[in-house]
Amino acid sequence: MLDLTVIPASGIALPAAPFRARHLIDGAWLDSADGAVSERISPSHGVVVSRAAKGGKAEAEAAIAAARRAFDDARWSGLSGKARAAVLLKTADLIEANVERMALIETLESGKPITQARGEISGAADLWRYAASLARTLHGDSHNSLGQDMLAVVLKEPIGVVSIITPWNFPFWILSQKLPFALAAGCTCVVKPSELTPSTTAILGELLAEAGLPAGVVNIVLGYGQPVGATLSSDPRVDMVTFTGSTAVGRGIAAAASATLKKVALELGGKNPQVIFPDADLESAADAVVFGVYFNVGQCCNSGSRILVHEDISEAFTARVVELSRQVAFGDPLDPATQVGAIVTPEHGAKIDGYVLAARKAGAKVELGGSSLAVPGLGHQFYQPTVVSRVTPDMAIAREEVFGPVLTVLTFRSLDEALALVNDADYGLSAGVWSENVHTCLAFARGAQAGTVWTNTWMDGFPEVTFGGVKQSGLGREIGRYGLDEFMEIKSLVMRIGRTRAPWVRPR
Ligand code: NAD
């Protein structure tokens, strides 16, 4: 048996009854017309955590119609930035007041550790506050150098009705990267959370009503990609779809949206490299590598799932990463000591295992872990912290998103070779470099094809600093000022001062 740090069942009390989640359409909480419901069973505890209304096309269309009416009568976009900001700020306060309730249910639905769920939800409150500041400072441009008789202004207007489709790995954080920014812009929305993690989105609906958001401005439809997500992506009354999830589904959404040429924003997968040079602070780098790959059980778009280590230090560095990986506490997500929780579904666990098995068969070496493991008192839906070395760039484990606690180790000899390996990828979400030489870091940052580059750190993020991917990691940007701009249309207004224009038609 491997020497790993396993946290057994803590015996912490579970909720007395499953959370009951309903659709929020035009201010009313509704079950599906046909009464369909889906149950979410906790991946860690095996109990039913939530019973959610399972929407169909009818619910999706009713929600879109409500959002369309709410946009067209300007009940939200017609308010001042100050009034919109007040609702967003109140929502942030309410999120903070509900952290414990939401963190518990998110932990049980997703399998993530409770400390990470708490951090995600309280951190999301800050996104709402930052978006409130944007609602008040939103402005366009003016042009007064076009000649004495001309003045032009560029206005920013809300794009309209926005469909928001979110995944299960950070259900509340990802929603909060989108929704407050869309609301700050003056848009109205229809939100569809993942069928696996519907509850914190539904709770947010309650908080928005309490914060004074007018009915119909945010509508929530629970259910699956087909038919709910597909309807939200294709309905002509929707002006924009913003989606976070897998690259395959993102491609389908872009295709569905193309019939009516809606704007599409996509935050998709990644295969994010951290590159370690011999002159780096290797102890900090090893710790960041371990954090980067095991955070959120590796089910993270920003997972640092492949490291490129300079050949001179690869053996010693890998050994240190393995040693630290053994100390990562995995097991009961409800125990505050746990750092790595459960895998979201058994099917996903099998997919992770498939990548490791294929790599082993192709000649890679599993240095640590490499299979699922039962946690005493909780069952089998856990995957051991896993490190795979002797990986070659052509292996699937080096190129595809494993989305689990599995680290892939490759080696390089020069900066040019490292950059070539980094950029030899379909994805381009994030990349990192570890070196004490500023020239190495800057050359890497300039050359890496990625939406975010970290130097001597990993996964630090701020509401002010925009986020997004290049290549097949996505389209558009979230958070920061650019995140707000995604939800705006630009209108140019050109004005003549006085009657100075010479007539086009010359009298004969
Ligand atoms: P997924 O693509 O399976 O599902 C995401 C959402 O899309 C869910 O709500 C799902 O119900 C919905 N959906 C499914 N089929 C649909 C369809 N045909 N039309 C419309 N909607 C549909 O993704 P997931 O498994 O929930 O999440 C994991 C993926 O998300 C990973 O690939 C990960 O990298 C990615 N992700 C990306 C970021 C980022 O910011 N770049 C962040 C988190 C997760």
Side-chain angles (χ1 to χ4, degrees), residues 166 168-169 174 192 195 229 243-246 267-269 301 401:
T166 57
W168 48 262
N169 59 341
I174 287 170
K192 191 204 92 64
E195 57 278 11
F243 167 80
T244 297
S246 59
E267 293 292 341
L268 308 174
C301 58
E401 192 179 41

Side-chain angles (χ1 to χ4, degrees), residues 155-457:
L155 305 173
K156 291 189 180 177
E157 299 184 338
I159 201 164
V161 174
V162 179
S163 291
I164 298 180
I165 302 174
T166 57
W168 48 262
N169 59 341
F170 294 96
F172 198 73
W173 180 265
I174 287 170
L175 178 59
S176 300
Q177 289 202 151
K178 300 174 187 287
L179 182 58
F181 293 83
L183 292 176
C187 296
T188 62
C189 302
V190 182
V191 180
K192 191 204 92 64
S194 166
E195 57 278 11
L196 300 174
T197 51
S199 298
T200 50
T201 301
I203 292 172
L204 179 67
E206 294 171 16
L207 305 185
L208 287 169
E210 197 180 332
L213 188 78
V217 174
V218 170
N219 305 273
I220 298 168
V221 188
L222 308 174
Y224 287 71
Q226 289 289 355
V228 178
T231 305
L232 298 189
S233 313
S234 58
D235 192 289
R237 292 166 292 181
V238 171
D239 300 295
M240 173 179 177
V241 189
T242 172
F243 167 80
T244 297
S246 59
T247 296
V249 172
R251 256 186 227 113
I253 285 176
S258 69
T260 49
L261 289 179
K262 322 181 180 312
K263 181 166 180 181
V264 175
L266 303 172
E267 293 292 341
L268 308 174
K271 187 73 191 174
N272 312 298
Q274 294 210 58
V275 178
I276 296 102
F277 284 85
D279 68 340
D281 171 351
L282 295 175
E283 196 49 29
S284 298
D287 186 73
V289 163
V290 169
F291 161 65
V293 70
Y294 302 129
F295 179 67
N296 216 50
V297 206
Q299 300 170 138
C300 184
C301 58
N302 260 332
S303 168
S305 56
R306 57 177 175 138
I307 56 170
L308 312 181
V309 190
H310 193 280
E311 254 181 23
D312 291 353
I313 55 162
S314 71
E315 218 168 283
F317 188 80
T318 307
R320 182 64 182 140
V321 166
V322 168
E323 198 182 330
L324 290 178
S325 299
R326 286 186 201 283
Q327 295 165 33
V328 171
F330 87 102
D332 186 355
L334 289 180
D335 191 316
T338 298
Q339 293 171 294
V340 174
I343 299 298
V344 71
T345 59
E347 296 75 25
H348 189 57
K351 184 179 153 203
I352 295 169
D353 209 31
Y355 277 109
V356 177
L357 286 174
R360 206 195 289 259
K361 248 194 210 156
K365 182 178 175 207
V366 178
E367 305 267 0
L368 179 74
S371 64
S372 62
L373 190 71
V375 166
L378 291 178
H380 281 82
Q381 217 165 295
F382 293 83
Y383 205 87
Q384 301 173 50
T386 296
V387 179
V388 186
S389 67
R390 294 191 202 154
V391 170
T392 52
D394 56 311
M395 292 180 188
I397 204 168
R399 311 190 69 80
E400 296 174 19
E401 192 179 41
V402 175
F403 226 54
V406 177
L407 180 68
T408 301
V409 184
L410 296 100
T411 59
F412 70 94
R413 280 176 301 274
S414 65
L415 173 66
D416 286 348
E417 191 191 356
L419 276 171
L421 286 165
V422 163
N423 294 337
D424 177 23
D426 293 334
Y427 293 117
L429 191 59
S430 53
V433 60
W434 289 84
S435 167
E436 294 293 287
N437 183 329
V438 68
H439 304 288
T440 305
C441 292
L442 290 177
F444 178 87
R446 298 282 296 266
Q449 295 167 356
T452 298
V453 176
W454 284 292
T455 70
N456 297 313
T457 187

